[in-house]
Amino acid sequence: MILSILFIFSLIFSFSNAAVQDFCVGDLGLPDSPAGYLCKKPAAVTVNDFVFSGLGVAGNTSTLIKAAVTPAFAAQFPGVNGLGISMARLDLAPDGVVPMHTHPGASEVLIVIQGSICAGFISSSDNKVYFKSLNKGDIMVFPQGLLHFQINAGKGPALAFVSFSSPVPGLQILDFALFANDLPSEIIEKVTFLDDAQVKKLKGVLGGTN
Amino acid sequence: MILSILFIFSLIFSFSNAAVQDFCVGDLGLPDSPAGYLCKKPAAVTVNDFVFSGLGVAGNTSTLIKAAVTPAFAAQFPGVNGLGISMARLDLAPDGVVPMHTHPGASEVLIVIQGSICAGFISSSDNKVYFKSLNKGDIMVFPQGLLHFQINAGKGPALAFVSFSSPVPGLQILDFALFANDLPSEIIEKVTFLDDAQVKKLKGVLGGTN
Amino acid sequence: MILSILFIFSLIFSFSNAAVQDFCVGDLGLPDSPAGYLCKKPAAVTVNDFVFSGLGVAGNTSTLIKAAVTPAFAAQFPGVNGLGISMARLDLAPDGVVPMHTHPGASEVLIVIQGSICAGFISSSDNKVYFKSLNKGDIMVFPQGLLHFQINAGKGPALAFVSFSSPVPGLQILDFALFANDLPSEIIEKVTFLDDAQVKKLKGVLGGTN
Amino acid sequence: MILSILFIFSLIFSFSNAAVQDFCVGDLGLPDSPAGYLCKKPAAVTVNDFVFSGLGVAGNTSTLIKAAVTPAFAAQFPGVNGLGISMARLDLAPDGVVPMHTHPGASEVLIVIQGSICAGFISSSDNKVYFKSLNKGDIMVFPQGLLHFQINAGKGPALAFVSFSSPVPGLQILDFALFANDLPSEIIEKVTFLDDAQVKKLKGVLGGTN
Amino acid sequence: MILSILFIFSLIFSFSNAAVQDFCVGDLGLPDSPAGYLCKKPAAVTVNDFVFSGLGVAGNTSTLIKAAVTPAFAAQFPGVNGLGISMARLDLAPDGVVPMHTHPGASEVLIVIQGSICAGFISSSDNKVYFKSLNKGDIMVFPQGLLHFQINAGKGPALAFVSFSSPVPGLQILDFALFANDLPSEIIEKVTFLDDAQVKKLKGVLGGTN
Amino acid sequence: MILSILFIFSLIFSFSNAAVQDFCVGDLGLPDSPAGYLCKKPAAVTVNDFVFSGLGVAGNTSTLIKAAVTPAFAAQFPGVNGLGISMARLDLAPDGVVPMHTHPGASEVLIVIQGSICAGFISSSDNKVYFKSLNKGDIMVFPQGLLHFQINAGKGPALAFVSFSSPVPGLQILDFALFANDLPSEIIEKVTFLDDAQVKKLKGVLGGTN
């Protein structure tokens, strides 16, 4: 009886030479595709491909913004490749700030684990600001591609985890996009209406040239 | 100067009568669509539509499974409607178990906030089990639609938050699907190979009939 | 006149060096991607890549479940790769059963060609069972990811063809997922509420260990 | 013990007022959406919404083309709404033909149940024809949007079932699109290079005007 | 002969009561859905629903930015609803600028019709700027969600048309998002590193409060 | 102060070894995937990958159809790969015609830049023709996969640009699909109802055989 069922078991997929695709752990050494990294061979996949411990460690907040973002996107955690989801950790020391930024490819949901955080986003249709102070256990959703920010609203450190609707959400931090590259100051001023002194000051701080 | 810029501001979208869709907070009173709930009128939307506090409260674990799942799907948190993401809270008392289940419409990523959790999933292609004990700060991803489970692996209570790649991930708990309805025992036995006594025992416990 | 039109013909796509992608026959020897197999070179594609004869032969039903599933997924029939569809053949001898299973990545539609089949699925939202006896020519749809089954409801053999909304629908058979691997019995019992004797009996039959 | 588990059962979704979306049976009386029909209320859904018997009856082939196409798209079979799949039945009497046509919104897979059928499609990139005589049990895939046809290649009647990668695949039959409406003959001739006599003859047969 | 073919014609879709969905012209008076506006009844649709003349008229550039953006998104041109595409017109007087902005929901391709335009975007992964002067007939693509800008690079007026990969691409203009609402200056300064004087100056110009 | 911010800057992505995917410029030398070409290495990408000048030159209209289509699809303009959009240029000399055709994989929007163009498409559900004369600045949308055409409706040359909702829209020109290959005349006649003389005449003109 055992034998015959086992026999069936192998028969059921008599034509299957490669089987179905339950997951596609990214192989970062192969070329990328528009849908994500190419897949590691299934035989080489272990449970460790689906587990990531990098978010268990606080990021370094001994910095000017007094905050750190630690991503677990497909590039750091190849197990999420192709699965439509990823995460990151936010650490905010007192007065810490995650500066104004967007995720070009994903919506985000944030959960406060410790402390309190003032978070907000700005709609594109009418420039309306949606912001609120969030406490431990509160969650907030940030629609895809919109400018948003997080500020430590308490006296102690704050900790939050964020999840994204894509394994490659992207992260475009406004100040770095404007001031941490070689885009000529003249162009920046034209397209942002900022004063020359302001632009040059922030370029100086953030390492921009031209 | 101020006037003329404000003037331009209104001109830029001189044809816009309804503007673009940044979000679509679900109106649960209207009919559902294949892509999610129809949208609440933008003018009625406030920041509170994007914030949910229901995950800040521990679920009731004074039960047989000693665990509770508290969802923040589109039906509970209409702000995520149409945004490709949602969350839930897992509370596991000592010996607590989230029984074998699937999410038919989403991949999941879990982060351990407190305690330690043994979590695993089973691939469909070769029935291989991927499971591991996770500690505080560890994250694990569960590919869409595959059977998976979580067990409290420590001595104290455990807490985790899970995120999904859909606002309507679904949750099909195996035992409830099999034993908490009126599917005739004879059919259950035929399609699961379970013994009649086993089926009737669990139907008794879970409220199934026939 | 002929010449000049032919001339135009070649001119119309004067910039086209690789042309558009009508199809992407899977090359099973190359790495997989999250969107499916990489494509065979168009020049090597023939009509035989789009035709599959494997479903014309009855599967072996001389087994305990008295049924056989013969897939024509992308792994067996690379012509469907990237096209959002695939098929399989179900043969059910008298008393044959396709055991409780899910397709993690696709909805399914079944058509009865011969005999009569009792088919059903279980919703995740309220564990409601939708099942019915189907006769020749009847079709039934099974929503993505939900547990479902098929049983020969007649006295003679039954034949059905099923189609899926993905070239890689996956197939997770509940009993194989639970009992045909090395997931420890203790864990299985915890997450399914099944008795130890029941688990060990089915592990014995299906080849599971631990 | 029973009570307490039942108690948990209700607790697990204490916040759930509408539950998740396993399916979205189309309500044809409500407005349509870009993603398909709006959903019938779940409480009104029965197993009969997921079963369709219209494909069990042969279409009328006592006609000039000696063939009939019987659709089970979302408009005929609202159970497939939102599920990414649909079907149709092809009956071909001896000499029967399903004329050149496209499905603008879906790929198709065909299975021959009776007789033999010559089927083919034409690629857009190089106008190459892929066609072959198919016998009972053979399947063939037709990539989305490409012109294709089916001809009875045997002496007796032929029967096939086709599945589509969308609940609303569309069906644009070339001759009806060209000759069964009021598009002026002069325009048709300009954009097809067909002779005036040919156009007028087919307009006469198919009921076109102008 | 005519009669019999016409007869077949009506028979072919004997079950079709609503037919397939070729398009879904938006009905702006009905609720919106996550996939776009609900559809106008097909019987009320005319060719004028698919044609839009609003881009034939130059926008008003007698303003401070000396530029105008005229959208033909789903809200202005309901014929594109559900079709994955939309357009807009850019008019740039000498020295005109389309300020730094993003489209949260679409990629964009721009074609220069008149004059010359300096256009650029900034990548999120490494803050690299990709910019170039474009002449008549040149096209440039801007990946989804990334900050980008256009500046008149010639001495006369410039005209460009842009297309988007969505009927609702959104348009978030950086300065309006930051300075044309009631987001408190203190918060803006914290999340942008801008000086208080700079923030208040631009709030003054753009009508922001707080 | 500068140093410490720069220091944070590098810390923020301390785990990032490959960064996120803002774009995926196609590498035409690598295998294709169902989601588009594999990506060129980011380090090799320059602004020139995102700019294409091929549409600035009129196509050759000194031909029988007196028209030319110049594509900027992913194969010609790899910068649009994976971004859901592409373009083409239409030149129509007096009496020029873009013959009846479909794009199997995309919707299209056309803008008239010069002259006037009579454009139309045919619905699949009821074979209704939607056509109109378009003037400079008018735009028209053509839903995915439907037969459509463009005719110069003025006395001088006409110029239009078209955009597509896919980087690989495809282009199947009806006459080339029917008459510019080796599909046997007997089959063509059977599936199109065209007369033998008509088929052979057009095969002669367009280079078809058999």
Side-chain angles (χ1 to χ4, degrees), chain A residues 99-101 118-123 126-132 147-151 174, chain B residues 47, chain E residues 172 174-192 194 196 199-200 202-204 207-210:
Chain A
M100 193 69 89
H101 65 284
C118 172
F121 69 87
I122 304 163
S123 77
D126 55 5
N127 303 305
K128 186 170 169 187
V129 188
Y130 297 88
F131 72 111
K132 190 168 186 177
L147 283 164
H148 62 287
F149 60 88
Q150 289 100 11
I151 301 175
L174 179 56
Chain B
V47 67
Chain E
Q172 184 159 53
L174 179 55
D175 274 66
F176 294 157
L178 293 180
F179 307 117
N181 51 38
D182 59 2
L183 184 60
S185 298
E186 191 193 349
I187 290 184
I188 299 176
E189 291 156 27
K190 261 205 153 151
V191 300
T192 62
L194 294 174
D196 181 61
V199 168
K200 285 183 172 146
L202 286 168
K203 279 207 165 197
T209 56
N210 290 342

Side-chain angles (χ1 to χ4, degrees), chain D residues 9 19 24 28-29 35 63 70 92 104 117 148 155 159-160 165 199 203:
Chain D
F9 182 40
C24 173
L28 305 191
T63 56
T70 308
L92 297 116
I117 292 175
H148 62 288
K155 295 193 173 161
L159 170 63
S165 63
V199 169
K203 279 207 162 192

Side-chain angles (χ1 to χ4, degrees), chain B residues 28 31-38 52 54 60 63-65 67 69-71 73 75-76 104 168-171 173 176 180 204-207, chain D residues 1-9 11-24 30 33 35-41 81-82:
Chain B
L28 274 50
D32 206 351
S33 85
Y37 295 108
L38 298 184
F52 182 69
N60 184 343
T63 57
L64 263 196
I65 60 166
V69 177
T70 308
F73 300 169
Q76 294 82 37
V168 285
L171 168 48
I173 299 178
F176 295 158
V205 173
L206 289 162
Chain D
M1 181 177 174
I2 293 180
L3 281 182
S4 57
I5 285 198
L6 285 174
F7 183 58
I8 296 164
F9 182 40
L11 279 177
I12 279 184
F13 294 106
S14 51
F15 290 94
S16 176
N17 60 332
V20 291
Q21 185 193 51
D22 287 323
F23 43 73
C24 173
L30 293 175
S33 86
Y37 296 108
L38 298 184
C39 317
K40 199 172 164 175
K41 280 182 191 301
N81 187 53

Side-chain angles (χ1 to χ4, degrees), chain C residues 1-9 11-24 30 33 35-39 41 81-82, chain F residues 28 31-35 37-38 52 54 60 63-65 67 69-71 73 75-76 104 168-171 173 176 180 204-207:
Chain C
M1 183 176 172
I2 294 180
L3 281 183
S4 56
I5 285 199
L6 285 174
F7 183 57
I8 296 165
F9 183 40
L11 279 177
I12 279 184
F13 294 106
S14 50
F15 289 94
S16 175
N17 59 333
V20 292
Q21 184 194 52
D22 287 321
F23 43 74
C24 173
L30 293 175
S33 86
Y37 296 108
L38 298 184
C39 317
K41 280 182 191 301
N81 186 54
Chain F
L28 305 191
D32 206 352
S33 86
Y37 296 107
L38 297 183
F52 181 68
N60 183 343
T63 56
L64 262 195
I65 60 165
V69 178
T70 309
F73 300 170
Q76 294 83 36
V168 284
L171 168 49
I173 299 177
F176 295 157
V205 173
L206 289 163

Side-chain angles (χ1 to χ4, degrees), chain A residues 29-52:
Chain A
L30 293 176
D32 206 350
S33 86
Y37 295 108
L38 298 185
C39 318
K40 198 171 164 174
K41 280 182 191 299
V45 170
T46 74
V47 67
N48 294 320
D49 287 299
F50 302 108
V51 176
F52 181 68

